[in-house]
Amino acid sequence: MNNGTPAPGFELISDSHATKDLDRTSSYARSNAGAAEAASEIGSHEFGVIGFGVLGKALVAGYERNGHQPLIYDPNVPHFNEIHPALCQCLAIAIAVPTQPGPDGYDLREVKSALNLLARIGYRGVVVVVSTIGPRDVRTLEHFARQLYARYSIAVSPEFLTEANASADFYGQRVVYFGSVSTSTDDIELRRCLEACRGGGVQLRELSAEQCCLIKTHRNLALALKLTSANLAYLEAVENGLDAEQAQGIVDAVFDDPRLHSQAAYHTVGNSEGTMGFAGKCLEKDLAAKASGIADSVSKDLLAALLRFNQHARRHVISIPSCQS
């Protein structure tokens, strides 16, 4: 066991919001040494968190709100930059380090560093990767842990929070998706870890680890596309002489369409032709007209790319067995 010394080579990307959030949430401003003094025995620390940025703080806040004393490790944050000797005794440890875009998806160096650290201190419990990763990364991490001869098991459980309201979003998440990467994962301890940091009534939904990653990343993509659509509408309104208030009014009216909220036909893959993509005349016609008529060159390229993707989906992607008209 590593007795209070940071593992060599373990580095985390600094979170620019760390100082602000530490000041705002005084309950976090305690050291792991202080937590040890408050605990009557090592076994009182059931959970650990690696990474104390926006996500890590939300995890810790959830655990503390429910009466737990999680152990925290983040070499870039004062008071938490030493490994507590009881860390390897935790039932479950969440990895909440940042993952940045890399040349082939997500840069996994921080996650791998955390996994390496846990292998070196001889951790044998459940490791829950809460950091955002892609579906292909699941087996990459499994292979990496096998190379380390790690004795812990790995699971994935994505978060769905906003930076401005991270703690409230995390604690109030009603449906929590999780999936095991390792076949040896203790399901009882995993579920206990996921429930212990959230509010009452949470629903745990088990899927494959790859499915969890797809849900997380494509929810963010859907939000990005929705915001892109809003910005395109605003930009074209301004190009046509509307002021800022009128342009925002156009955006509000666009998203007041019930089809954008609840109608399954607009988020069910497949069309009347038995292919992917949308086959209706109006959608493709109006997208093509926008692509050719909008003045901004970047917007024009984006809309043209969306049109090409839809044509690709209709002509070259395998048909969907059950399709909507």
Side-chain angles (χ1 to χ4, degrees), residues 31-49:
S31 66
N32 280 330
E37 292 173 3
S40 59
E41 56 184 16
I42 281 180
S44 66
H45 299 290
E46 295 182 282
F47 309 109
V49 177

Side-chain angles (χ1 to χ4, degrees), residues 28-249:
Y28 294 160
R30 56 163 177 76
S31 66
N32 280 330
E37 292 173 3
S40 59
E41 56 184 16
I42 281 180
S44 66
H45 299 290
E46 295 182 282
F47 309 109
V49 177
I50 296 181
F52 200 55
V54 173
L55 176 54
K57 289 181 178 67
L59 273 160
V60 171
Y63 282 127
E64 291 186 338
R65 187 170 175 178
N66 290 339
H68 299 284
Q69 296 176 324
L71 296 177
I72 306 163
Y73 177 65
D74 188 325
N76 294 319
V77 179
H79 307 300
F80 303 116
N81 56 1
E82 292 187 352
I83 300 171
H84 193 283
L87 186 65
C88 68
Q89 304 297 327
C90 292
L91 299 176
I93 297 176
I95 294 179
V97 299
T99 50
Q100 305 297 331
D104 189 28
Y106 290 97
D107 186 336
L108 301 177
R109 285 178 294 178
E110 307 297 343
V111 178
K112 287 181 175 180
S113 292
L115 291 174
N116 182 48
L117 164 69
L118 293 175
R120 292 166 74 170
I121 66 173
Y123 182 64
R124 299 189 180 197
V126 179
V127 177
V128 185
V129 179
V130 190
S131 305
T132 302
I133 62 174
R136 290 184 298 176
D137 300 328
V138 169
R139 298 308 151 195
T140 299
L141 295 181
E142 181 184 34
H143 179 68
F144 179 75
R146 192 179 297 123
Q147 288 181 314
L148 296 173
Y149 297 99
R151 289 176 286 183
Y152 50 72
S153 59
I154 305 176
V156 169
S157 182
E159 47 74 24
F160 303 95
L161 53 81
T162 59
E163 188 172 331
N165 300 291
S167 294
D169 290 343
F170 187 86
Y171 190 78
Q173 189 175 329
R174 296 275 64 86
V175 179
V176 175
Y177 298 95
F178 71 96
S180 298
V181 178
S182 311
T183 56
S184 60
T185 301
D186 188 321
D187 187 66
I188 294 177
E189 298 297 353
L190 175 57
R191 290 173 178 270
R192 186 176 175 185
C193 165
L194 298 174
E195 290 176 337
C197 56
R198 291 184 170 89
V202 63
Q203 300 177 35
L204 300 183
R205 188 167 299 173
E206 184 172 10
L207 301 170
S208 71
E210 288 85 354
Q211 286 174 306
C212 292
C213 296
L214 284 166
I215 291 171
K216 161 64 179 182
T217 54
H218 278 278
R219 275 194 182 180
N220 279 356
L221 175 59
L223 291 171
L225 290 173
K226 181 177 180 179
L227 288 167
T228 299
S229 177
N231 279 273
L232 284 169
Y234 186 98
L235 178 63
E236 189 172 10
V238 171
E239 287 178 351
N240 282 274
L242 276 66
D243 61 27
E245 183 177 356
Q246 291 171 323
Q248 184 59 53

